[in-house]
Amino acid sequence: METKLFKINSIYENPDELEQAAQILARGGLVAFPTETVYGLGANGLNADAVRAIYQAKGRPSDNPLILHICDLEMLPQLAREVPEAAVKLAMAFWPGPLTMVLPKTDQVPDVVSGGLDTVAIRFPSHLIARELIRRSQKPIAAPSANLSGSPSPTTAQHCIDDLMGRVDAIVDGGSCGVGLESTVVSLAGEIPMVLRPGGVTVEQLREVLGEVRVDPAVTHPMAQGQKAASPGMKYKHYAPKAKVILVEADQDAFCQYVNANKKPGVFALCFSEDVPDLQVPVVCYGGQTHPEQQAHALFDALRRLDQEKAELVYAHCPSQQGVGLAVYNRLLRAAAFDLVEL
Ligand code: TXA
Ligand code: MG
């Protein structure tokens, strides 16, 4: 398949390109596009065949449900059977933005979107290009991250090109994504709000608005064999570079000493900028130790760079779990397949 590339500087400068991309979506095609979190691979979320094509292009297991993206609140009643008060509060506080809410679904949402569940995940992104594409296509857009299943989520158009060229109808290049990690997923389908995936909107922020909010144990711990996942995405190995990754929880001195003691060809450090001068192995840096926003923004590109540099074994310096740090920690734990060394 030929993949069209659209370079969009802004929604005002490139309306024709945006219209073409929106028409591809409206006709049932696949378009990768930027959001404030990561690039998404979009299709008309009410067209079951178009949604099936997403799973094919990504090589994604079909029981892992997708997020529907909307561009105004009027699209909500068509998709969610119930909108509890907590959802209204969160929408007021964090939409548009990096928050996805899981709500009971209507019959209009195809089963292929929800992976057969009776709930649907909905997000109202803040990225102007994403919103303009949704508005022009006049459809809720189903979009997982625009990577091949299993590889790190894309935060630039080049990442999408590397993974999806020839597999999708178009890629919209709108620059690099601000947050850099996928949205926070919170379920409001049960009694107590439950964070299924941490992201740019922090657990602390959710608690400020809602009071009690729980965090699914699978966010920070491996699931027991046979356990049912609240969010099917959590059971798959994820975000993984080709190298083996070991997450090392230690202060700066202990981390650098440990890595240097394990120095050999193919060994890399995925570290904070403060660690760099003390390390004797090749490094890929993912931000400052006390700057979780920087770490979030840099992490997925760093994981892809380690592959390009042919790293075989990567010691990753463990981030703090405060604020956005919890999302960074959650992604790194999965990249490391839960291999954590505490010093
Ligand atoms: O930031 C994001 O959320 C990006 C951009 C493109 O919006 N999208 C994204 O989609 O990360 P994806 O498909 O890679 O991740 C969706 C996550 C998965 O972990 C999936 O299991 C969960 O949301 N999910 C979707 N529908 C769900 C549902 N009904 N119940 C529980 N979890 C659900
Ligand atoms: Mg994904």
Side-chain angles (χ1 to χ4, degrees), residues 45-53 55 61-66 105 109-117 142:
L46 300 181
N47 175 336
D49 288 334
V51 174
R52 266 189 281 276
Y55 287 96
S62 63
D63 67 341
N64 191 4
L66 304 178
K105 82 172 191 74
V109 177
D111 283 340
V112 56
V113 168
S114 62
L117 300 172

Side-chain angles (χ1 to χ4, degrees), residues 33-41 58 60 63-69 98-103 113-115 117-123 125 143-147 153 181-185 187 196-197 229-234 236 238-239 331:
F33 63 95
T35 82
E36 72 277 22
T37 57
V38 299
Y39 272 73
L41 177 59
K58 275 184 63 99
R60 176 174 171 121
D63 67 341
N64 191 4
L66 304 178
I67 297 171
L68 289 181
H69 296 69
L99 179 72
T100 296
M101 294 195 234
V102 173
L103 298 167
V113 168
S114 62
L117 300 172
D118 60 2
T119 53
V120 61
I122 302 176
R123 179 159 105 81
S145 46
N147 51 299
S153 292
L181 295 181
E182 306 87 342
S183 61
T184 305
V185 178
S187 173
L196 304 179
R197 180 177 73 184
S231 177
M234 285 194 289
Y236 298 105
H238 231 244
Y239 315 112
R331 306 309 190 274

Side-chain angles (χ1 to χ4, degrees), residues 88-100:
V88 176
K89 284 187 182 162
L90 291 185
M92 302 281 279
F94 303 115
W95 274 0
L99 179 72
T100 296

